[in-house]
Amino acid sequence: MKYNAIDPNLFIENRKRFAASLKPNSIAIFVSNDIMPTNADGSMGFVQNSDLFYLTGVDQEETILLIYPDAKNNSHKEVLFVRETNETIAIWEGAKLNQSEATKVSGIKTVLWSNNFDTFLKGLIFQAEHVYLNSNEHSRRYIDIETAEMRFNKGIMAKFPLHKYERSAPLMHKLRAIKSSYEVELIQQACNITEKGFRRLLGFVKPGVMEYEIEAELVHEFVRNRSRGFAYGPIIASGFNACVLHYVDNNKECKAGDVILLDVAAEYANYASDLTRCVPVSGKFTPRQKQVYNAVLRVMKAATAMLTVGNTIPEYHKAVGSLMEKELVDLGLITMDDIKNQSPEWPAYKKYFMHGTSHFLGLDVHDVGDFNRKLEAGMVFTCEPGIYIREENLGIRLENDILVSEKGPVDLMKNIPLEAEEIEALMKDNKLESLLS
Ligand code: GLY
Ligand code: MN
Ligand code: MN
């Protein structure tokens, strides 16, 4: 891991809140993700299970957390199992956490080796009435493999079929939606790294540059600042590509006169940031590009102001739709007749703005949380309106990360250049600087 040590109180407090939401006499178990294979002896980089990380801070494979708040033996209320390390592992893979290091990271006093888990559970589970198991219940999950979690759950339910099984996911969605100050600080660090990357590319973009060269600049800046890299697949889409919402090829040349849509952001300590900016390849927007840019910017500013305690996302999305409708009429893209004749399921503005404006942000870029829950202090959302005009080879989206607070919305990306004129000025200054150096 490249990130600095995290205060274990984050995980201690998370476990306390989770334990308090269990039914009496319950055991809850969380397992780490698998290391996913590629081919031959290759593997993808390890990504920890977000819920296990949230409750332990352990960023290692073959980790299990057991929580049993009503355990008779105090040392069994929280038990962490980590992969037993040995000399061979140390030589080939490097150091893994030993037991005292695992305690330091997580704040959990009882740490055992993972290969003792089955025996340990057998000795304890007969005392418990409920068993909480976890699963990915994200509303937009797409999983067609058996994950470590699914495999584990199947095994436990087969071995102990007469227990009452419960779902941890609804509890985790509720808890994770509200970020503690430790978490906000980690998301802020991810945003700060993203800012460095964005400022770097303003001096790099010019006609003829390839989209993947911009991607390389960003990776360089992110990793040298202790990030693992992008928080999600980066979208670096010039010209018409910006109208392909999930464009990830990033393999075209950036042409003079085009605008590049950059949906690119760093992770830090497993926490995501999520940024979108649009920059002119030649360093200056055309009047029409600026007109569309400023329309999106106005919607973004007004939408951000609505991310307040007590509002709901469905109401907010409706209000943003009305703002967008007006902008699209003013841009000559839709008419009042289109609005009069629109279907309520697919309003006219959706032709040019076809995605949602906000999603929860946290350990996952599309973080867990209930969209029908009223907004509360501590929630973090993106704000990302866009206008995509295929017939003009132009897509503009602007995206910042916003903390909902009692004092109103707090923009965690307020230091990242956003006004069109500021971006043009920085591109000019950075070019002059590189010519002189
Ligand atoms: N970067 C993914 C999103 O904006 O939702
Ligand atoms: Mn994004
Ligand atoms: Mn987003």
Side-chain angles (χ1 to χ4, degrees):
M1 273 67 70
K2 298 178 182 75
Y3 54 86
N4 292 313
I6 300 171
D7 187 333
N9 282 312
L10 164 58
F11 312 113
I12 292 169
E13 287 172 19
N14 289 348
R15 285 195 301 279
K16 212 182 276 171
R17 281 195 294 271
F18 175 74
S21 51
L22 298 176
K23 291 183 177 172
N25 201 17
S26 295
I27 284 181
I29 309 170
F30 292 85
V31 296
S32 56
N33 283 339
D34 284 324
I35 298 176
M36 298 306 286
T38 53
N39 295 294
D41 61 352
S43 68
M44 298 182 198
F46 177 67
V47 178
Q48 186 54 288
N49 177 284
S50 297
D51 293 319
L52 182 77
F53 186 81
Y54 182 83
L55 295 169
T56 65
V58 175
D59 211 343
Q60 209 170 269
E61 72 284 4
E62 293 177 37
T63 306
I64 308 174
L65 169 68
L66 183 147
I67 295 182
Y68 187 10
D70 297 328
K72 295 191 178 70
N73 181 337
N74 262 343
S75 64
H76 293 166
K77 288 183 188 297
E78 297 181 334
V79 188
L80 180 67
F81 298 83
V82 293
R83 183 180 179 191
E84 181 168 14
T85 190
N86 60 37
E87 217 172 293
T88 313
I89 294 175
I91 289 169
W92 287 87
E93 297 178 37
K96 300 279 163 187
L97 293 177
N98 63 31
Q99 286 157 319
S100 64
E101 285 164 342
T103 295
K104 205 164 150 206
V105 167
S106 63
I108 298 174
K109 296 207 175 63
T110 309
V111 181
L112 305 174
W113 298 129
S114 304
N115 47 26
N116 294 324
F117 175 76
D118 286 347
T119 314
F120 183 88
L121 185 67
K122 245 189 284 174
L124 200 68
I125 198 166
F126 76 96
Q127 298 171 26
E129 193 178 348
H130 304 274
V131 179
Y132 281 74
L133 296 178
N134 200 26
S135 63
N136 182 343
E137 296 187 19
H138 192 284
S139 55
R140 287 203 282 167
R141 69 197 174 280
Y142 178 79
I143 313 164
D144 62 1
I145 56 155
E146 183 175 69
T147 63
E149 212 164 52
M150 293 174 190
R151 198 173 57 242
F152 178 84
N153 292 350
K154 220 160 70 180
I156 291 284
M157 292 168 93
K159 272 188 231 156
F160 306 102
L162 299 182
H163 277 77
K164 292 180 191 147
Y165 285 92
E166 307 283 345
R167 292 151 55 221
S168 292
L171 310 181
M172 295 306 299
H173 288 205
K174 211 163 164 202
L175 294 175
R176 280 177 53 191
I178 310 289
K179 272 70 186 177
S180 63
S181 54
Y182 303 106
E183 290 185 286
V184 171
E185 182 49 36
L186 292 169
I187 297 172
Q188 182 67 69
Q189 288 196 52
C191 293
N192 295 349
I193 297 171
T194 298
E195 177 187 352
K196 289 185 182 176
F198 181 65
R199 288 187 183 275
R200 181 185 179 106
L201 72 82
L202 289 178
F204 181 78
V205 168
K206 58 177 182 299
V209 144
M210 301 299 286
E211 292 164 349
Y212 55 74
E213 290 183 278
I214 300 173
E215 183 174 334
E217 290 296 303
L218 288 164
V219 172
H220 180 110
E221 198 62 33
F222 290 173
V223 175
R224 73 200 286 256
N225 282 288
R226 293 183 177 270
S227 164
R228 186 172 59 214
F230 290 102
Y232 50 88
I235 297 170
I236 301 173
S238 59
F240 177 80
N241 303 331
C243 299
V244 180
L245 294 181
H246 289 164
Y247 176 81
V248 286
D249 290 342
N250 303 345
N251 61 2
K252 305 287 184 316
E253 185 183 323
C254 301
K255 302 251 171 61
D258 278 348
V259 171
I260 317 170
L261 182 154
L262 302 130
D263 190 339
V264 290
E267 71 81 56
Y268 178 75
N270 291 325
Y271 280 84
S273 58
D274 191 1
L275 173 88
T276 308
R277 288 291 183 271
C278 293
V279 305
V281 176
S282 313
K284 211 161 165 39
F285 292 102
T286 65
R288 174 62 171 175
Q289 289 166 350
K290 201 176 269 188
Q291 196 186 20
V292 178
Y293 189 103
N294 285 333
V296 175
L297 185 55
R298 276 191 295 275
V299 175
M300 185 204 205
K301 286 179 179 171
T304 300
M306 288 189 269
L307 288 170
T308 50
V309 172
N311 205 349
T312 66
I313 290 294
E315 280 165 19
Y316 160 85
H317 273 150
K318 219 164 124 201
V320 175
S322 304
L323 294 170
M324 189 56 96
E325 196 175 82
K326 181 187 175 308
E327 295 293 349
L328 292 176
V329 170
D330 292 350
L331 288 169
L333 291 168
I334 60 173
T335 64
M336 292 312 287
D337 267 355
D338 292 334
I339 296 169
K340 231 182 281 160
N341 299 327
Q342 71 190 9
S343 108
E345 289 82 52
W346 195 254
Y349 74 80
K350 293 256 185 200
K351 180 172 177 200
Y352 293 97
F353 174 41
M354 58 296 277
H355 56 77
T357 311
S358 291
H359 56 79
F360 286 95
L361 180 81
L363 281 168
D364 291 289
V365 65
H366 294 166
D367 211 30
V368 291
D370 176 2
F371 278 139
N372 291 310
R373 180 172 171 184
K374 278 195 176 1
L375 268 56
E376 290 172 45
M379 289 183 175
V380 177
F381 289 99
T382 62
C383 180
E384 50 179 309
I387 295 177
Y388 309 91
I389 318 173
R390 298 170 80 88
E391 55 277 23
E392 295 183 27
N393 292 329
L394 179 63
I396 302 284
R397 175 164 70 252
L398 298 169
E399 177 174 26
N400 274 7
D401 302 340
I402 312 294
L403 168 69
V404 178
S405 87
E406 292 295 349
K407 293 189 186 137
V410 179
D411 189 344
L412 302 176
M413 291 184 151
K414 64 178 186 305
N415 296 329
I416 305 184
L418 177 62
E419 299 289 331
E421 293 72 20
E422 189 185 2
I423 285 171
E424 288 176 335
L426 283 166
M427 289 181 83
K428 198 166 154 201
D429 288 354
N430 291 352
K431 287 224 168 76
L432 282 177
E433 220 170 86
S434 64
L435 276 177
L436 296 173
S437 62

